């Protein structure tokens, strides 16, 4: 039997606040397998970012287990890298040094950071911009830098938290295709958080729909449609309807503009 | 260019008025010397007298106190930011210390250290530590948490994380704090020097008073203002600007 890459076992997450415990995730269980492209979908505040932080090891569950490669997640390390909507690039480093950042830590001490970073900058098509300050390039380019930085340390799992949410529609579509290309080339396990149904339908092998308070797994949809996908494909429309049926939250963003 | 011209004209006019007032009213020079007396005092003081030596010793004193204050202040600030308990106890009490002007520490410093350099350095440290610690604390608290999270998932932790992310992210705000601390240190230096013996700007100023040499007093006050202006505004101003550009704040 194939071991899952990531396993959530009855994961509960509460945050302590001044007004008592805030229950964010309630008894969440799922498996994610190697090389899967999984989208985590759900309304704002349902705990999607919290799920990524738990996988990354930035947070510990209040109870239950978060398991990576059959071991409990203890702390963050470069086998699971995180990409944010707001890029979170280091403004005092130029583009190349941003990509090289993870390679300067002691796990990667032996290789030449800049040389390897250059390979990954090439991969996202930004080698000409290597000496640019990060705040002098467009949002789409910044997100490419963030992707290159997250991939350069050769993680097993790539965690993306609404990575294209701040981009205009054209750039967002380009970046989606770019990400699919990178995923097919590097064969990472990808966990992609979004609150857009259509973005999830376009990208994912599997969609985990989270909702409710505290957040629970409402629906686990396998999307067995070959890429590139046409959202008018009857199979996708079918899945889309099932997802929407599961989401009764009133302020849910339908994402029909993707 | 035009602004420079206006400024020069303004200052020339000011000197002229000063000159005329002194000349017409015949105020004795131990009350208000004319501009020429003050220039003479500058000239003699710098060429033959001890003005340069005074400045030199004062700079040594203030830099010693300032750098010690930076070391203590930065470490304290980081601890205050890291440990909530320290912040609500110790952090609170040092906030109240900040409203005490440096001269208020002089009697205590003199009793502890005698009328020596150490008393002055002690006052400088006391004054400069607080703004350093507070700005360090704030700079650390204002680091965007995603920057740290990104770094941690890229495998950075411990010393690497401090050196390459935490300190770096703090620098723009820290520089502003360092400038403020310098301003405090500079003022504390003069306050302290008025009361101790030895060579220094404050001592020279106080000596001018004792000898009723008002030209020397005004020459020293001007010196304090000019050095203060160039260090606080010109030197730190340039550093602050450069850092802000390099960090993309501007
Ligand atoms: N460190 C924390 N301390 C206290 N509460 C927190 C903390 N982090 C998150 N929360 C709360 O947990 C809830 C879920 O947060 P989370 O960021 O996981 O939601 P999300 O699904 O990613 O939302 P969004 O779509 O807006 O990004 C929010 O209500 C948030 O206020
Ligand atoms: Mg979120």
């Amino acid at each position: 039997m194939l071991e899952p890459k990531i396993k959530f076992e009855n994961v509960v997450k509460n945050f302590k606040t001044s007004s008592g415990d805030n229950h964010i995730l309630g008894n969440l269980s799922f498996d994610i397998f190697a090389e899967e492209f999984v989208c985590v979908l759900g309304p704002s505040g349902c705990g999607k970012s919290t799920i990524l932080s738990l996988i990354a090891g930035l947070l510990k569950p209040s109870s239950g287990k978060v398991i990576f490669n059959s071991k409990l997640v203890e702390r963050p390390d470069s086998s699971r890298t995180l990409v944010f909507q707001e890029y979170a690039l280091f403004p005092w480093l130029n583009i190349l040094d941003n990509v090289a950042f993870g390679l300067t830590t002691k796990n990667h001490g032996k290789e030449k950071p800049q040389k390897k970073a250059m390979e990954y900058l090439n991969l996202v098509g930004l080698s000409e911009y290597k000496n640019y300050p990060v705040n002098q390039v467009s949002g789409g380019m910044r997100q490419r830098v963030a992707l290159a930085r997250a991939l350069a340390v050769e993680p097993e799992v790539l965690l993306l938290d609404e990575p294209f949410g701040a981009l205009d529609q054209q750039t967002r579509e380009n970046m989606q295709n770019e990400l699919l290309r990178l995923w097919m080339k590097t064969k990472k396990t990808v966990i992609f958080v979004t609150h857009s149904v259509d973005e999830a339908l376009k990208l994912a092998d599997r969609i985990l729909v989270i909702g409710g308070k505290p957040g629970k797994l409402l629906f686990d949809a396998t999307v067995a449609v070959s890429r590139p996908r046409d959202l008018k494909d009857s199979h996708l429309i079918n899945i889309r309807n099932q997802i929407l049926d599961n989401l009764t939250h009133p302020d849910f963003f339908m994402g029909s503009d993707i | 260019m035009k602004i420079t011209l206006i400024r020069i004209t303004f200052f020339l006019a000011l000197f002229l008025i000063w000159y005329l007032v002194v000349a017409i009213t015949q105020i004795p020079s131990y009350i208000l010397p004319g501009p020429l007396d003050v220039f003479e005092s500058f000239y003699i003081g710098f060429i033959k007298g001890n003005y340069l030596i005074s400045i030199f010793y004062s700079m040594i004193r203030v830099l010693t106190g300032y750098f010690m204050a930076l070391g203590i202040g930065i470490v304290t600030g980081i601890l205050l930011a890291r440990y909530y308990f320290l912040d609500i106890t110790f952090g609170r009490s040092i906030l109240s210390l900040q409203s005490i002007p440096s001269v208020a520490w002089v009697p205590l410093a003199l009793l502890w250290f005698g009328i020596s350099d150490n008393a002055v350095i002690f006052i400088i440290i006391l004054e400069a530590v607080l703004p350093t610690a507070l700005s360090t604390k704030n700079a650390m608290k204002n680091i965007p948490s995603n920057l740290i999270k990104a770094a941690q998932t890229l495998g950075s932790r411990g010393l690497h994380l401090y050196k390459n992310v935490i300190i770096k992210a703090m620098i723009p705000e820290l520089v502003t704090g360092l400038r403020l601390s310098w301003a405090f240190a500079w003022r504390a230096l003069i306050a302290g020097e008025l009361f101790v013996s030895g060579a220094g700007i404050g001592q020279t100023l106080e000596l001018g008073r004792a000898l009723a040499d008002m030209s020397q007093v005004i020459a020293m006050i001007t010196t304090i203002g000019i050095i203060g202006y160039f260090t606080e505004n010109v030197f730190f101003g340039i550093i602050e600007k450069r850092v802000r550009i390099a960090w993309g704040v501007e």
Side-chain angles (χ1 to χ4, degrees):
Chain A
M1 208 2 255
L2 187 61
E3 274 296 315
K5 189 100 221 159
I6 293 160
K7 191 176 181 66
F8 268 48
E9 261 181 44
N10 307 319
V11 169
V12 173
K13 183 66 195 171
N14 307 323
F15 285 113
K16 286 195 174 52
T17 60
S18 48
S19 53
D21 265 9
N22 194 2
H23 303 286
I24 305 303
L25 297 175
N27 219 26
L28 198 57
S29 299
F30 57 77
D31 292 346
I32 289 171
F33 292 91
E35 301 184 12
E36 258 189 319
F37 194 127
V38 174
C39 277
V40 176
L41 182 69
S44 191
C46 72
K48 303 184 294 297
S49 300
T50 306
I51 292 173
L52 291 193
S53 293
L54 286 165
I55 297 172
L58 295 163
L59 290 176
K60 289 224 153 61
S62 307
S63 72
K65 289 178 184 164
V66 177
I67 292 161
F68 168 67
N69 284 344
S70 314
K71 285 197 283 287
L72 270 186
V73 169
E74 296 280 353
R75 56 150 85 108
D77 63 57
S78 60
S79 60
R80 303 169 318 279
T81 54
L82 193 48
V83 173
F84 299 90
Q85 178 173 330
E86 319 78 36
Y87 325 119
L89 296 173
F90 305 116
W92 55 88
L93 297 178
N94 67 21
I95 285 181
L96 182 64
D97 289 336
N98 261 283
V99 178
F101 179 85
L103 303 167
T104 65
T105 63
K106 58 172 176 280
N107 336 355
H108 301 267
K110 301 220 169 51
E111 306 147 83
K112 274 221 153 65
Q114 306 247 331
K115 189 159 160 279
K116 186 130 176 256
M118 209 51 218
E119 280 172 37
Y120 280 88
L121 211 49
N122 260 323
L123 193 65
V124 297
L126 285 180
S127 41
E128 286 154 51
Y129 294 90
K130 64 184 167 103
N131 293 323
Y132 274 60
V134 286
N135 50 334
Q136 276 177 26
V137 298
S138 69
M141 283 159 80
R142 285 183 210 192
Q143 201 54 292
R144 278 170 207 261
V145 176
L147 271 174
R149 181 179 71 174
L151 289 170
V153 293
E154 296 182 344
E156 293 172 56
V157 178
L158 188 61
L159 306 166
L160 303 123
D161 196 350
E162 302 187 41
F164 310 143
L167 304 176
D168 64 82
Q169 178 158 341
Q170 186 61 49
T171 314
R172 181 193 273 229
E173 278 179 27
N174 292 341
M175 290 300 291
Q176 289 167 345
N177 294 330
E178 178 89 9
L179 178 64
L180 285 176
R181 183 180 69 80
L182 290 172
W183 170 65
M184 287 175 189
K185 191 162 170 162
T186 58
K187 280 294 167 196
K188 307 287 178 202
T189 308
V190 173
I191 304 174
F192 185 109
V193 162
T194 178
H195 53 222
S196 155
V197 184
D198 289 354
E199 187 169 47
L201 286 171
K202 206 176 150 189
L203 297 173
D205 290 327
R206 228 174 106 203
I207 302 175
L208 302 178
V209 181
I210 311 288
K213 194 93 184 133
K216 284 187 266 312
L217 184 60
L218 299 181
F219 187 50
D220 182 345
T222 302
V223 190
V225 177
S226 66
R227 302 179 184 86
R229 289 175 182 162
D230 178 2
L231 290 176
K232 293 188 202 75
D233 179 299
S234 64
H235 196 71
L236 290 179
I237 291 177
N238 200 4
I239 297 172
R240 188 169 196 279
N241 289 334
Q242 282 178 289
I243 290 172
L244 294 180
D245 282 345
N246 277 285
L247 284 162
T248 44
H249 207 277
D251 63 16
F252 189 65
F253 172 48
M254 297 302 180
S256 47
D257 63 330
I258 303 297
Chain B
M1 190 57 226
K2 209 170 156 199
I3 292 178
T4 319
L5 212 64
I6 294 172
R7 279 203 187 125
I8 290 174
T9 319
F10 172 76
F11 281 112
L12 283 179
L14 215 60
F15 280 122
L16 190 67
I17 293 169
W18 177 11
Y19 178 81
L20 289 175
V21 166
V22 173
I24 292 167
T25 60
Q26 298 279 314
I27 300 177
S29 73
Y30 59 84
I31 300 292
L32 181 65
L36 295 179
D37 296 330
V38 175
F39 285 136
E40 193 190 341
S41 178
F42 260 117
Y43 178 76
I44 295 174
F46 272 108
I47 302 297
K48 299 190 197 134
N50 60 349
Y51 285 10
L52 274 179
I53 291 172
S54 301
I55 292 173
F56 175 77
Y57 279 104
S58 287
M59 289 317 278
I60 300 268
R61 244 172 242 132
V62 72
L63 288 174
T64 310
Y66 181 63
F67 281 109
M68 288 172 81
L70 293 196
I72 301 169
I74 289 173
V75 172
T76 311
I78 290 177
L79 292 176
L80 289 180
R82 282 289 306 268
Y83 301 104
Y84 179 70
F85 174 76
L86 269 184
D87 192 25
I88 55 171
T89 53
F90 187 60
R92 267 307 155 92
S93 45
I94 65 167
L95 257 184
S96 61
L97 288 183
Q98 214 180 15
S99 57
I100 304 172
S102 37
V103 272
W105 295 109
V106 171
L108 187 147
L110 292 183
L111 284 175
W112 281 5
F113 297 97
I115 46 171
S116 67
D117 272 3
N118 291 348
V120 181
I121 291 170
F122 173 75
I123 296 165
I124 295 169
I125 293 175
L126 261 183
E127 280 294 291
V129 147
L130 301 180
T132 308
L134 291 176
S135 67
T136 305
K137 184 190 107 183
N138 289 333
M140 188 144 167
K141 290 207 154 170
N142 291 341
I143 300 175
S145 62
N146 282 354
L147 234 43
I148 308 235
K149 290 182 188 169
Q152 286 177 321
T153 68
L154 290 164
S156 176
R157 67 170 81 112
L159 202 60
H160 187 273
L161 186 66
Y162 264 87
K163 236 177 71 191
N164 296 288
V165 183
I166 295 179
I167 299 286
K168 293 278 171 66
M170 283 164 61
I171 282 180
E173 212 174 320
L174 206 53
V175 168
T176 307
L178 295 195
R179 174 191 197 163
L180 191 66
S181 312
W182 171 260
F184 275 78
W186 184 243
R187 284 155 181 74
L189 165 80
I190 305 300
E193 282 186 340
L194 288 177
F195 298 92
V196 302
S197 54
I201 298 174
Q203 288 94 328
T204 309
L205 174 62
E206 170 61 14
L207 186 69
R209 183 203 61 81
L211 301 177
D213 182 353
M214 194 50 99
S215 299
Q216 178 159 320
V217 169
I218 293 180
M220 279 301 105
I221 290 176
T222 316
T223 307
I224 293 166
I226 290 173
I227 296 178
Y229 175 80
F230 274 96
T231 48
E232 278 167 41
N233 298 307
V234 181
F235 177 72
F236 272 105
I238 290 170
I239 291 188
E240 231 178 328
K241 182 132 200 218
R242 286 216 179 142
V243 166
R244 292 178 78 82
I245 290 170
W247 261 243
V249 188
E250 246 160 46

